[in-house]
Amino acid sequence: MTITNAKVRTAAIIGGGVAGPVTAMALRRAGIEATVFEAYAHGAEGVGSFLTVAVNGQRALRELDLLDLVQQHGFDCPRFEFVSGKGKPLGGFPAAPESLKDGLTSRTLRRTDLYTALRDEALHRGVPVEYGKRLVNAERTRDGVTAVFADGSRFTADILVGADGLLSRTRELIDPAAPKPRYVPLLNTGGFTRASVPGDPGTMVMYFGRDAFFCHMLDPQGVVWWFANIPQVRELTPAELAAITPEQWRKRLVDTFAVDETPAQAIVEATEQIAQPWNTYDFPSVPNWHNDRMVLVGDAAHAASPTSGQGASLAVEDALVLAKSLRDEPNATAAFSAYVGQRRDRVERIVAQAKKLSSDKMPGPIGRIIRDIALPIVFAKRAKSGGDDWVLTHEIRWAA
């Protein structure tokens, strides 16, 4: 089959979460008509806990005229503070590099608010979003690619973008030998409550407990937002996770944090509804991000563990770089190569860094001693530099 090398004009985007609508809006800016296809029969309103959009992600949103929209939700978290499980301060630093001087800092918001804001704005900008469209196959032709969905419907476009997350079907179609997500031996959970906590409003206070990691922050309305990472050596199946009752999970959390001299136990006890635990995964590397007609963005290409705080931000960066590449290169093949060339090294470094940070949350007795001695030195150096960091200072300009 001879593939034509015409300029890309249409795109099918698989996945209607965060990455999908942002990618669609970025492609529209590049003159490409994009349609979003969501596997589920409904939107994701009310689904998920909360996340943080780092300053690099916010700058990428700003390039797409989406930053003001996102900043209508949540609250700023301008500083990180770290404490040992014995209550000893380990240091802290600003959440945004002082060298940027643009007023941005980390922004924490509920996942459902981010999703709804981006999806609604995509609709407002004329992006069609179709539900109940689970991708099962993709047929490449001389002129494009046809997405085949489980309901029997089909859709043909010049390119297909896989924004379909960790369990990406698009990734499998691009490369049937693609690796599976790597299990990181931590369970995640979190919640919201009212309790007396140390730290200024917006400060993310993080505790390296003896057996688990805990973080809390206070929002402007006096509500405590918190999350925890609990070691879990064996990966639990979805059925095993669903079988954990709220009472069992609460008891495990309370017992885990009872040994620490931190507010974690009291916060857990004060929380009426605690999120059901979910597994942690990442991707060390995905060998093939694209073929001549299909390409991956977001978690489908490079999932970092939540420790990175970069999941949403990297997805927005992907969308911006992919759209720029399609705008500037003569055809899809050249654009996809340019996109991966600009993204792979950066995201794989972030995945590796997040994996190391996840490991720091669960060291043995000797490792805890070494960690608690070393971290104040690391944090002091970071604070002295004004929070400068290669991850956060990264910037992508649409006009460049």
Side-chain angles (χ1 to χ4, degrees):
M1 180 193 305
T2 301
I3 303 296
T4 59
N5 286 317
K7 194 76 173 176
V8 172
R9 297 301 177 193
T10 59
I13 298 179
I14 308 302
V18 170
V22 171
T23 302
M25 288 184 278
L27 293 185
R28 282 181 64 86
R29 175 157 294 193
I32 298 169
E33 294 297 318
T35 301
V36 174
F37 297 92
E38 168 56 45
Y40 292 99
H42 51 77
E45 293 88 346
V47 176
S49 184
F50 62 89
L51 53 77
T52 296
V53 181
V55 290
N56 55 296
Q58 291 180 58
R59 288 198 301 279
L61 287 168
R62 185 171 57 194
E63 292 298 300
L64 296 170
D65 296 327
L66 294 169
L67 180 58
D68 290 345
L69 180 75
V70 171
Q71 287 190 329
Q72 294 175 19
H73 304 279
F75 56 99
D76 284 345
C77 290
R79 186 166 179 80
F80 302 145
E81 294 287 347
F82 299 86
V83 183
S84 75
K86 295 183 178 180
K88 175 186 175 183
L90 299 175
F93 50 83
E98 295 174 357
S99 60
L100 295 176
K101 302 184 185 305
D102 59 4
L104 295 178
T105 190
S106 289
R107 187 85 178 175
T108 297
L109 66 165
R110 294 177 188 255
R111 181 178 293 275
T112 184
D113 289 338
L114 178 63
Y115 158 77
T116 303
L118 294 174
R119 188 274 315 275
D120 289 353
E121 181 63 15
L123 291 170
H124 177 72
R125 295 186 186 187
V127 175
V129 178
E130 297 192 21
Y131 295 96
K133 299 295 182 180
R134 184 171 298 279
L135 183 71
V136 294
N137 199 10
E139 300 171 354
R140 291 147 65 199
T141 69
R142 181 178 180 274
D143 298 315
V145 58
T146 298
V148 182
F149 299 104
D151 64 359
S153 62
R154 303 163 70 90
F155 183 87
T156 299
D158 293 336
I159 61 171
L160 184 149
V161 182
D164 42 353
L166 272 170
L167 303 179
S168 170
R169 175 58 178 158
T170 310
R171 184 176 61 244
E172 294 176 344
L173 293 172
I174 290 173
D175 180 6
K180 303 297 182 183
R182 177 176 65 181
Y183 176 62
V184 178
L186 292 171
L187 291 178
N188 299 284
T189 190
F192 307 89
T193 190
R194 290 187 178 272
S196 177
V197 296
D200 297 326
T203 296
M204 299 185 74
V205 185
M206 307 185 193
Y207 301 92
F208 291 95
R210 191 193 74 178
D211 299 321
F213 182 85
F214 189 87
C215 174
H216 68 70
M217 64 216 79
L218 189 66
D219 77 6
Q221 287 72 46
V223 176
V224 177
W225 298 34
W226 65 269
F227 70 85
N229 303 135
I230 310 298
Q232 174 62 46
V233 175
R234 183 178 68 84
E235 179 181 4
L236 300 181
T237 66
E240 288 175 317
L241 289 169
I244 300 173
T245 68
E247 294 75 20
Q248 290 171 332
W249 185 231
R250 180 185 299 275
K251 184 178 187 305
R252 179 171 174 183
L253 292 173
V254 168
D255 291 347
T256 296
F257 292 115
V259 298
D260 296 328
E261 298 173 29
T262 74
Q265 181 184 12
I267 292 173
V268 170
E269 290 177 330
T271 302
E272 183 176 342
Q273 184 173 357
I274 300 172
Q276 193 75 2
W278 68 92
N279 290 329
T280 303
Y281 298 95
D282 69 5
F283 271 115
S285 179
V286 174
N288 299 309
W289 287 28
H290 69 93
N291 57 27
D292 54 355
R293 290 292 176 184
M294 298 185 283
V295 66
L296 304 174
V297 296
D299 283 356
H302 52 69
S305 75
T307 299
S308 71
Q310 281 287 325
S313 295
L314 293 181
V316 179
E317 286 185 359
D318 282 356
L320 189 56
V321 173
L322 177 61
K324 285 188 59 179
S325 298
L326 287 164
R327 177 197 69 186
D328 298 339
E329 299 295 338
N331 54 58
T333 301
F336 293 167
S337 295
Y339 159 68
V340 176
Q342 294 177 62
R343 297 299 294 157
R344 181 183 288 280
D345 287 348
R346 171 171 169 78
V347 299
E348 289 186 357
R349 284 181 67 193
I350 292 173
V351 170
Q353 185 181 72
K355 178 63 167 62
K356 182 181 183 303
L357 291 173
S358 294
S359 298
D360 288 342
K361 293 178 177 180
M362 47 186 181
I366 297 176
R368 285 196 297 270
I369 295 172
I370 296 173
R371 179 196 64 197
D372 291 353
I373 292 174
L375 286 183
I377 300 172
V378 173
F379 295 150
K381 181 179 179 181
R382 178 78 173 269
K384 186 176 181 179
S385 72
D388 277 346
D389 179 273
W390 65 272
V391 176
L392 301 176
T393 54
H394 188 71
E395 191 162 12
I396 305 161
R397 290 289 189 181
W398 178 257

